[in-house]
Structure formats: structure tokens, C-alpha cells
Amino acid sequence: ARHPAVVLLPYTKSVMSFFELYRMNVPMFAPSLELLVQWERRHSLLKERIYWTAAPRPLRLANGTSLSPNTRDDPAALRHWLALCDFYHFPHITYFDSWPDLLAKLRSADLAATSAAMRAANRRLLDELRQQWRRLFLRMFRGAPPGSRAVPSDYDAAMRALYGQVPPSREPSCRRESRPEYGEWG
């Protein structure tokens, strides 16, 4: 990367460029949770966070909270939901509380050290993921080495061998279960 660091001004909760920059070990500066709550309330910074502004609330939310994910007015709800943004869950992201705080942190940051710490975190995560996949494949293939399992060359034969039946050839129904724009939750 040619740029020494990036200042994140998110437009939604999760963006692929965050992961790409993190994997390239580019130091990042992001607004603190309190600052992001302020900006969301005052300026609707996360424009793509809420798609249906008039969507009715479900009677209960799957995670058990009564805080609406579709509000810009309730600071407690914003703190709860915005804390789930990706950039609050990765190490070595520098958070700022104001524009002057950002400028001070940009001037004093050891970007090379931050990048090195990100590189180490990325290596650890890659090692963990490789181990998880190895364990999963061992469970999935019951310890058989790769390539040792006989795989039918015919789809129907494979489905019959694995599940005892072949799925029907007709397309499944595309009926929606929920239509929040009409207040219907399936």
C-alpha cells in the first residue's frame, strides 16, 4: 500500500475495504464509539445502516434485546448496535474522540509499529483459521486423508448415496415469509 494510514469514516456497519486494508497491515484510525454515536445522531453518517426507515419493529428481536437496530434517535440503541461494527473488534485500530484528537494521534502514531502488530495479528489469525479448517475436515471426512473418499461421478447417484433421495427437479417456491414494508413478519 502506498498510503501510510487510513482514516475510516464508515457509511455502514461492515465494508469489505476494512478487511482488505487490515490484511495489508495498513494502520487505521476510526471514530470512537461515542463519537460515531454522535455523528450518527447528528449527521446520519452511516447512511446505509438502515434500509427501511418506515419498517415496523418486530414484536421481539432474535437476540433478546428490546433496542431497535433501526433508530438514529436512541443513544443506548446506537451504542448497542454500533458496537458490533467490524472495526471495533480488531486489534491495533486507533480510535479518536474528535478531529483535534485525530490530528494529534496521526502526528504521534508509530505507524510502522502498528503495521507490524497488525501483521502479527494477521499471522495468528491465519494460523488459527488453518487449525480450525483442519479440525473441521477431520470431522467432516472422519479422519480419511484428502482424496481417499470415493465420490460418485453422477449427481443423482451422489445424492442417493449421501441422503437416500434425489431432490426434485422443480424450482422451490420463492414466496417471501416476511414483508416488513407491509408490517408482516414471518
Side-chain angles (χ1 to χ4, degrees):
R2 290 188 338 215
H3 302 285
V6 169
V7 176
L8 297 173
L9 297 177
Y11 62 92
T12 193
K13 305 164 290 295
S14 181
V15 292
M16 188 53 64
S17 59
F18 167 78
F19 297 98
E20 294 165 344
L21 291 164
Y22 197 92
R23 297 297 176 241
M24 292 189 307
N25 311 310
V26 176
M28 289 184 264
F29 295 79
S32 66
L33 180 59
E34 283 306 311
L35 183 59
L36 189 58
V37 167
Q38 287 175 24
W39 284 352
E40 180 65 354
R41 290 187 76 206
R42 293 180 190 157
H43 310 292
S44 301
L45 179 70
L46 296 146
K47 291 280 186 203
E48 293 186 17
R49 186 178 69 85
I50 301 171
Y51 293 103
W52 290 321
T53 54
R57 282 180 49 104
L59 297 178
R60 60 189 157 74
L61 295 171
N63 66 0
T65 185
S66 61
L67 299 169
S68 173
N70 295 326
T71 184
R72 288 192 168 94
D73 300 323
D74 181 354
L78 285 168
R79 273 186 213 92
H80 174 82
W81 292 106
L82 295 182
L84 301 174
C85 290
D86 295 324
F87 47 88
Y88 293 129
H89 297 273
F90 279 70
H92 314 297
I93 304 297
T94 303
Y95 302 104
F96 59 93
D97 295 311
S98 65
W99 292 117
D101 185 40
L102 170 63
L103 293 176
K105 287 179 176 177
L106 284 168
R107 286 186 191 106
S108 65
D110 184 343
L111 299 178
T114 301
S115 184
M118 293 170 82
R119 184 176 295 107
N122 280 321
R123 282 190 192 125
R124 281 190 303 276
L125 178 60
L126 181 59
D127 289 343
E128 289 171 18
L129 289 172
R130 283 180 174 154
Q131 289 173 16
Q132 285 177 349
W133 278 108
R134 282 186 187 109
R135 286 191 301 270
L136 177 65
F137 286 140
L138 281 172
R139 281 183 55 207
M140 210 163 77
F141 297 115
R142 297 176 184 92
S148 65
R149 190 175 89 164
V151 178
S153 59
D154 174 80
Y155 174 78
D156 288 348
M159 296 306 285
R160 243 185 246 97
L162 289 170
Y163 304 108
Q165 61 183 358
V166 176
S169 59
R170 72 185 194 306
E171 289 290 321
S173 167
C174 292
R175 184 179 170 282
R176 292 185 339 178
E177 297 298 319
S178 294
R179 298 188 314 166
E181 66 272 27
Y182 298 108
E184 298 171 4
W185 299 91

